[in-house]
Amino acid sequence: MAMSNVVLLNSWASVFGMRVKIALAEKGVEYEYKEEDLSNKSSLLLKMNPVHKAIPVLIHNGKPICESNIIVQYVDDAWNKSPSLLPSDPYLKAQARFWADFVDEKMYAKKIWTTKGDEQEIAKKEYIDLLKVLEGQLGDKPYLTGDSFGYADISLIPFSCWFYALETIGNMSIEKECPKLVAWVKRCKERESVSKSLADSHKMYEFALQLQKKYGL
Ligand SMILES: N[C@@H](CCC(=O)N[C@@H](CS)C(=O)NCC(=O)O)C(=O)O
Ligand SMILES: *[C@@H]1O[C@H](CO)[C@@H](O)[C@H](O)[C@H]1NC(C)=O
Ligand SMILES: *[C@@H]1O[C@H](CO)[C@@H](O)[C@H](O)[C@H]1NC(C)=O
């Protein structure tokens, strides 16, 4: 069976997969979308990402590219037309990579919905502190590293899909704590590439509740 030129192996709730969808949409790349069942991975996924056996994987002309941020950079290089997702200036490019790396290391809020009581309060405070660091970086700029939407924004924006679930489960208001960050989320979602690539917030909330059940909470 002939394979399409560009194939994306993904799972709908993956924030990492959403990054790739946004990058492909920004570049206007058409592709075949394949939803993976992570409890029953396809032989194609195991063959294309034997190291991590994880989605997202982009397959371009039969060759796999793995790891979401690497895929986004690849998309920027391979479909070399404007808008460029990474700035060409070396310093600005390093800044964009710094924030994408920060997001990868820190944006992990699972503890808010897998704990209760004091432990949950600590997790909530840690998460808000983290969002405040991002809000500080944003300052009065429209986007994380400047005037245009790009790589750092793409790395972070999918996590906003979890905000509603975190606010509901954690009984907190992210907008009250980080108004500029929430305004940035709205600004990003005005782009079609973003709005059509993000999962629905209410579906993510249902997903979190299912996971809570699975973990026996
Ligand atoms: N660092 C990876 C993370 C990818 C990742 O965590 N993928 C998850 C789904 S969100 C996965 O496929 N996990 C495999 C599994 O659950 O067995 C990236 O940025 O692409
Ligand atoms: C696992 O996936 C294969 C196809 O990839 C399918 O034939 C099989 O029924 C699936 N098994 C389960 C338990 O869902
Ligand atoms: C939710 O938070 C508000 C304000 O911080 C507080 O007054 C209220 O008691 C909390 N509700 C629950 C169920 O914890």
Side-chain angles (χ1 to χ4, degrees):
M1 197 175 66
M3 212 197 244
S4 158
N5 193 24
V6 186
V7 180
L8 174 61
L9 308 183
N10 192 32
S11 176
W12 71 271
S14 170
V15 287
F16 308 107
M18 291 175 214
R19 289 174 172 170
V20 177
K21 288 169 71 176
I22 294 168
L24 291 167
E26 282 288 328
K27 296 283 178 168
V29 179
E30 290 195 19
Y31 59 97
E32 183 184 341
Y33 181 92
K34 291 194 176 184
E35 179 76 13
E36 283 286 332
D37 173 0
L38 293 181
S39 62
N40 179 24
K41 294 171 187 169
S42 72
S43 51
L44 182 62
L45 174 59
L46 299 178
K47 186 174 135 208
M48 291 294 169
N49 190 357
V51 176
H52 297 301
K53 303 174 178 66
I55 56 86
V57 178
L58 189 74
I59 309 169
H60 187 197
N61 295 324
K63 289 184 291 192
I65 305 102
C66 302
E67 290 294 313
S68 60
N69 281 337
I70 293 172
I71 301 172
V72 172
Q73 295 186 50
Y74 176 82
V75 169
D76 202 25
D77 292 338
W79 287 276
N80 188 13
K81 59 180 178 188
S82 59
S84 190
L85 304 176
L86 275 145
S88 54
D89 176 79
Y91 185 73
L92 295 178
K93 192 186 278 189
Q95 289 289 88
R97 287 181 171 143
F98 173 87
W99 286 105
D101 189 63
F102 177 88
V103 168
D104 265 14
E105 280 184 21
K106 308 279 186 186
M107 283 297 287
Y108 195 65
K110 197 172 160 193
K111 268 198 172 160
I112 295 176
W113 47 271
T114 56
T115 58
K116 288 207 153 45
D118 288 351
E119 222 186 322
Q120 190 188 45
E121 287 308 313
I122 292 167
K124 276 162 61 173
K125 189 178 177 308
E126 283 174 357
Y127 191 66
I128 292 295
D129 285 350
L130 174 66
L131 294 183
K132 284 189 173 162
V133 172
L134 293 163
E135 168 129 333
Q137 166 61 18
L138 198 56
D140 291 317
K141 299 190 292 299
Y143 297 105
L144 273 176
T145 51
D147 286 335
S148 54
F149 177 81
Y151 182 65
D153 304 293
I154 293 174
S155 82
L156 178 62
I157 191 66
F159 289 87
S160 69
C161 294
W162 283 106
F163 285 1
Y164 173 74
L166 293 170
E167 288 182 312
T168 309
I169 292 170
N171 183 34
M172 60 182 184
S173 164
I174 292 174
E175 183 154 26
K176 212 177 90 198
E177 304 277 357
C178 303
K180 285 180 185 173
L181 191 70
V182 170
W184 166 84
V185 171
K186 288 184 185 139
R187 194 172 307 126
C188 291
K189 284 168 107 172
E190 282 165 14
R191 302 179 82 81
E192 201 198 343
S193 66
V194 175
S195 62
K196 74 176 185 190
S197 300
L198 298 190
D200 177 73
S201 292
H202 291 83
K203 257 180 97 182
M204 294 302 274
Y205 173 62
E206 294 301 322
F207 185 62
L209 293 183
Q210 277 174 26
L211 289 176
Q212 277 189 319
K213 254 188 215 152
K214 200 170 121 187
Y215 292 125
L217 289 152

